Amino acid sequence: MGVGDFARGLVPVARNGTRQAGGVLRTVLELSIDGFAGMPGAKAAAKSQLQKHGSVDDAIDAVVAQHVALSSAQGFMSNVGGVIASVVSIPGNLAGLAAVQIRMVAAIAHLRGYDIDDNRVRTAMVMCLLGGDQIVRLIRKGVLPTTPMAVATAPVFDPDLDRRVAERVVMEMAARVGGTNGVLLLTKRIPLIGGGVGAVVDGVATRQIGTFTSGELRRRRSISH
């Protein structure tokens, strides 16, 4: 299942209010960062790759590659999502992809030296799920005030911005379902073909998010192995 599927899972929640939908996304973020049975947290993932590859840049490349592979692995995501679905009101296989992508973004941020327990950084990480092109458009429209990098390094945490960012991510996901991805979603419903298409689409989307995050969140400080 892909980002669009995750959005469809959030739509029923969003109908009860975008604030509730944003809260669901925040819960997925916290579980992905902290980890749970069968899936170590973002810091552990970052540390493992840094120990293997030695340099931050190589470790980030490995983190992205690992999570691109995970995003295409339906069985893994179903298992991971089952844990998250026991806590939040979205189907397990939909939660799996969200968990993988958020964990990747958090691991990259940690490798760049950000404190991923800082609420400002967590707001920025959720913003990264929108992707670079969409963030630029939303800034031009005045929907978002600035970039993820600026939010992560802001003087103070802005709870209102945090809420609006989470709600915007949910809205954008839902919009993709009813818009340009309509034909693609129909293709993904075809047996056998649909599974292959879904795996490719999820992998491409995850790589794009990883590449954007790596370029956006520039190094803050060094971290130890």
Side-chain angles (χ1 to χ4, degrees):
M1 297 291 181
V3 173
D5 298 309
F6 173 59
R8 286 206 303 279
L10 286 174
V11 168
V13 181
R15 286 172 181 163
N16 295 325
T18 52
R19 180 172 297 183
Q20 183 183 358
V24 169
L25 184 63
R26 176 62 61 179
T27 301
V28 175
L29 180 142
E30 291 172 353
L31 288 169
S32 302
I33 290 174
D34 297 336
F36 45 83
M39 187 175 180
K43 291 181 182 178
K47 181 179 180 180
S48 174
Q49 296 300 341
L50 187 58
Q51 289 175 334
K52 288 180 182 178
H53 298 279
S55 76
V56 167
D57 289 340
D58 288 344
I60 288 175
D61 288 343
V63 163
V64 173
Q66 178 189 49
H67 287 78
V68 167
L70 291 177
S71 69
S72 300
Q74 299 298 311
F76 175 85
M77 287 197 296
S78 294
N79 292 332
V80 169
V83 177
I84 296 179
S86 68
V87 181
V88 299
S89 55
I90 55 177
N93 53 353
L94 309 185
L97 181 63
V100 168
Q101 292 180 339
I102 292 173
R103 181 176 181 258
M104 174 187 67
V105 170
I108 293 171
H110 181 63
L111 285 166
R112 290 287 191 215
Y114 293 82
D115 178 5
I116 62 176
D117 295 319
D118 187 313
N119 284 327
R120 295 169 297 175
V121 176
R122 293 194 172 195
T123 301
M125 291 190 299
V126 174
M127 287 180 69
C128 286
L129 297 179
L130 291 168
D133 292 342
Q134 188 64 1
I135 287 173
V136 169
R137 284 193 290 268
L138 291 174
I139 290 175
R140 288 175 178 171
K141 291 179 179 180
V143 176
L144 294 177
T146 187
T147 64
M149 175 72 180
V151 170
T153 57
V156 295
F157 170 62
D158 184 343
D160 181 64
L161 174 62
D162 182 75
R163 174 185 57 79
R164 288 188 288 112
V165 165
E167 292 172 2
R168 174 56 59 171
V169 168
V170 172
M171 290 173 61
E172 293 298 326
M173 287 179 174
R176 292 170 194 168
V177 173
T180 57
N181 287 344
V183 175
L184 178 60
L185 289 171
L186 289 175
T187 303
K188 289 172 68 175
R189 293 178 183 272
I190 301 173
L192 299 181
I193 295 176
V197 171
V200 171
V201 170
D202 293 345
V204 169
T206 301
R207 184 172 296 281
Q208 289 175 339
I209 292 170
T211 300
F212 169 71
T213 302
S214 177
E216 173 66 18
L217 299 181
R218 296 182 292 278
R219 181 173 295 191
R220 292 279 290 166
R221 56 183 173 79
S222 297
I223 65 171
S224 62
H225 285 44

